[in-house]
Amino acid sequence: MLRKKLLPIVFSAVFAISAAGQAPTAGTAVHAKSSVAFYAGSSSLDTFWQREPQKIDAVKVPEKCTVSIYNSDNRRAAGTVTASDKKTVSVTKLHQGDGWQISGKKEGKTTLSYKRGSETGQIDTEVLPPFKLSAVKKSAKISGGKVKLTVTYQNNTDTEIVIEGADIGRAQIQYEKDKELSQEEKEVRPVRWKAKKVTIPAGKTKTFTLTQAAKKSSGGIKKFDFPQLYIRYHGVYFATSLQGDSAEGFLEYYGSLPFEEFIS
């Protein structure tokens, strides 16, 4: 699903997980005029990986979650986004008009309204209970010419969370003979998505293993992180990187896009 060209006005929704957790989603209809449209995913990362934006028709943001929406043309700063109910969500304009942050303040439903010149639109928005998935344990070893990365996650929500895939490249496995990564190398990590169907029931913990070929003559493993995950929560999909046991990390919302299409 490579991007051939961007639509005239593109909104991307990016979701940042806080210590309290979160989760966004898609649902009802967009009420819009002209070329106003809303999209999900990571604006910058999807451009980098040549992924086509995922169109959404609603936004669902868990309590204490922050959602960033963007458009792709050069008139970004001219538009405004406002919330009908400011007690449910808050809206903050990003630096230099690059988009807006939408933060879920309490559970409930409202709408976001967009205006730029004669173009207007609304999108249904709902604040959900907090999304709480913790990365609690990780280990890595070399065996039979392969690296085996074993990770454990705990679901502290009141509903199941399904892991659809994991990106072992984002774990940044480093060997004893590797030189230290530059800041640029740390930010632009290799992508090695693997399908991995793991259902974590509410209140439960699950452990699973990912493998990849080990580097030859590189010594043992020096350091590594948790992988990035592609998950389904409340019927919609997110990519998220969780580090440690606090559920802090970065969450990108992909609406109804299943894993098979996300990596295609």
Side-chain angles (χ1 to χ4, degrees):
M1 194 172 72
L2 295 180
R3 167 181 301 181
K4 295 185 175 58
K5 93 176 177 177
L6 285 171
L7 298 179
I9 297 176
V10 173
F11 285 83
S12 293
V14 180
F15 297 76
I17 267 187
S18 69
Q22 54 238 38
T25 122
T28 55
V30 169
H31 315 287
K33 299 177 183 177
S34 189
S35 57
V36 177
F38 295 83
Y39 291 79
S42 168
S43 177
S44 58
L45 292 178
D46 283 345
T47 299
F48 182 83
W49 298 116
Q50 295 185 304
R51 252 189 222 115
E52 185 177 340
Q54 173 67 13
K55 191 171 184 179
I56 58 173
D57 58 9
V59 173
K60 294 184 181 180
V61 187
E63 191 175 296
K64 299 184 181 179
C65 167
T66 297
V67 179
S68 297
I69 60 175
Y70 304 85
N71 73 34
S72 65
D73 69 6
N74 294 324
R75 298 176 293 165
R76 295 181 291 196
T80 60
V81 170
T82 57
S84 300
D85 181 358
K86 294 179 175 58
K87 292 182 179 180
T88 301
V89 297
S90 63
V91 180
T92 305
K93 198 166 190 175
L94 293 173
H95 181 60
Q96 295 181 340
D98 288 335
W100 300 267
Q101 286 186 338
I102 315 300
S103 299
K105 299 177 72 174
K106 68 173 186 177
E107 292 181 46
K109 296 182 179 181
T110 185
T111 58
L112 296 174
S113 298
Y114 174 75
K115 180 175 176 58
R116 188 184 62 201
S118 62
E119 296 174 318
T120 61
Q122 288 187 332
I123 185 166
D124 293 327
T125 303
E126 181 179 358
V127 177
L128 302 173
F131 175 81
K132 297 180 180 179
L133 179 66
S134 297
V136 297
K137 187 178 180 181
K138 59 185 170 66
S139 64
K141 66 178 181 178
I142 299 175
S143 177
K146 294 183 178 181
V147 176
K148 295 185 178 181
L149 175 64
T150 301
V151 290
T152 302
Y153 295 91
Q154 182 165 351
N155 177 3
N156 295 312
T157 71
D158 59 1
T159 188
E160 72 175 22
I161 296 172
V162 181
I163 297 172
E164 300 277 346
D167 178 8
I168 194 172
R170 293 292 291 273
Q172 285 195 323
I173 297 171
Q174 294 182 50
Y175 299 85
E176 291 174 350
K177 295 182 180 180
D178 287 348
K179 65 177 184 180
E180 282 298 318
L181 296 177
S182 66
Q183 188 59 39
E184 182 179 356
E185 289 172 324
K186 290 178 181 179
E187 293 174 355
V188 183
R189 304 181 184 188
V191 175
R192 300 189 188 97
W193 282 104
K194 298 175 179 289
K196 198 73 180 181
K197 192 83 167 186
V198 179
T199 299
I200 311 178
K204 299 296 183 180
T205 298
K206 280 292 182 73
T207 299
F208 62 92
T209 298
L210 301 167
T211 62
Q212 70 175 26
K215 282 187 180 180
K216 294 182 179 179
S217 303
S218 56
I221 295 173
K222 179 169 58 177
K223 63 174 69 173
F224 59 96
D225 292 325
F226 285 92
Q228 187 178 39
L229 304 177
Y230 197 76
I231 63 174
R232 176 164 50 86
Y233 179 69
H234 278 278
V236 291
Y237 296 91
F238 317 93
T240 180
S241 295
L242 302 175
Q243 303 298 330
D245 60 3
S246 63
E248 291 184 346
F250 187 70
L251 184 65
E252 302 158 23
Y253 171 47
Y254 285 92
S256 59
L257 188 70
F259 180 69
E260 296 77 13
E261 295 182 30
F262 171 74
I263 60 171
S264 64

